[in-house]
């Protein structure tokens, strides 16, 4: 059983999201559901997030609520298999050839571009 200080020392991912309408920044720990706070500046949002994380973990330990451990990049190989229609395979291969890159590099480019758009729209 981990202690509060054990959990506080784990590298939980902190997400900061600028609030363009109201100003300031929302701060959340995705692995700790509901652990969300706010700050007028990035610095205050980070400071408030650290306080919120401690309070969230204390409450979870007191109530016996399960606490997820932080996700790690070591859990991901960087590879996955994907089956696509032949017509899409042909189109991607042709685009990659025109760009002078491998189809793998071209697909990584497309995925990362789409992921950036998706991430910025959340």
């Amino acid at each position: 059983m981990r202690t509060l200080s054990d959990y506080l020392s784990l590298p939980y991912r902190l997400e900061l999201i600028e609030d363009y309408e109201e100003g300031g920044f929302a701060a959340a720990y995705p692995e700790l559901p509901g652990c969300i706070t706010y700050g007028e500046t990035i610095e205050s949002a980070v400071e408030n997030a650290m306080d919120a994380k401690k309070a969230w973990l204390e409450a979870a330990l007191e109530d016996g609520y399960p606490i997820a451990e932080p996700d790690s990049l070591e859990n991901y190989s960087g590879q996955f298999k994907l089956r696509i229609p032949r017509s899409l395979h042909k189109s991607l291969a042709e685009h990659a050839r025109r760009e002078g890159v491998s189809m793998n590099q071209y697909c990584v480019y497309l995925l990362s571009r789409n992921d950036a758009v998706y991430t910025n729209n959340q």
Side-chain angles (χ1 to χ4, degrees), residues 1 57-67:
M1 178 93 175
L57 290 168
E58 286 172 336
L61 287 168
E62 279 181 28
D63 295 343
Y65 186 79
I67 302 171

Side-chain angles (χ1 to χ4, degrees), residues 6 15 17 21 40 46 53 58 61 81 83 97 110 114:
D6 292 334
E15 286 186 352
I17 302 162
E21 293 178 15
E40 292 291 328
V46 169
K53 178 173 71 170
E58 286 172 336
L61 287 168
K81 199 176 233 184
R83 299 246 181 244
R97 193 172 16 260
L110 291 174
N114 187 64

Side-chain angles (χ1 to χ4, degrees), residues 2-15:
R2 290 186 182 262
T3 66
L4 176 62
S5 58
D6 292 334
Y7 283 111
L8 287 171
S9 68
L10 294 175
Y12 286 99
R13 181 171 51 97
L14 174 61
E15 286 186 352

Side-chain angles (χ1 to χ4, degrees), residues 27-94:
Y29 289 96
E31 289 108 349
L32 306 176
C35 186
I36 301 169
T37 189
Y38 177 83
E40 292 291 328
T41 65
I42 290 177
E43 294 79 13
S44 65
V46 169
E47 187 176 321
N48 292 344
M50 291 175 11
D51 291 341
K53 178 173 71 170
K54 183 178 180 194
W56 191 99
L57 290 168
E58 286 172 336
L61 287 168
E62 279 181 28
D63 295 343
Y65 186 79
I67 302 171
E69 300 224 351
D71 201 2
S72 169
L73 286 178
E74 292 177 12
N75 296 333
Y76 302 93
S77 68
Q79 298 179 7
F80 69 96
K81 199 176 233 184
L82 181 64
R83 299 246 181 244
I84 58 175
R86 290 178 185 203
S87 59
L88 178 57
H89 189 171
K90 178 179 184 262
S91 177
L92 291 170
E94 289 170 352

Side-chain angles (χ1 to χ4, degrees), residues 102-117:
S102 70
M103 195 172 90
N104 189 60
Q105 287 174 312
Y106 186 69
C107 288
V108 167
Y109 159 74
L110 291 174
L111 288 167
S112 61
R113 189 175 84 178
N114 187 64
D115 187 58
V117 168

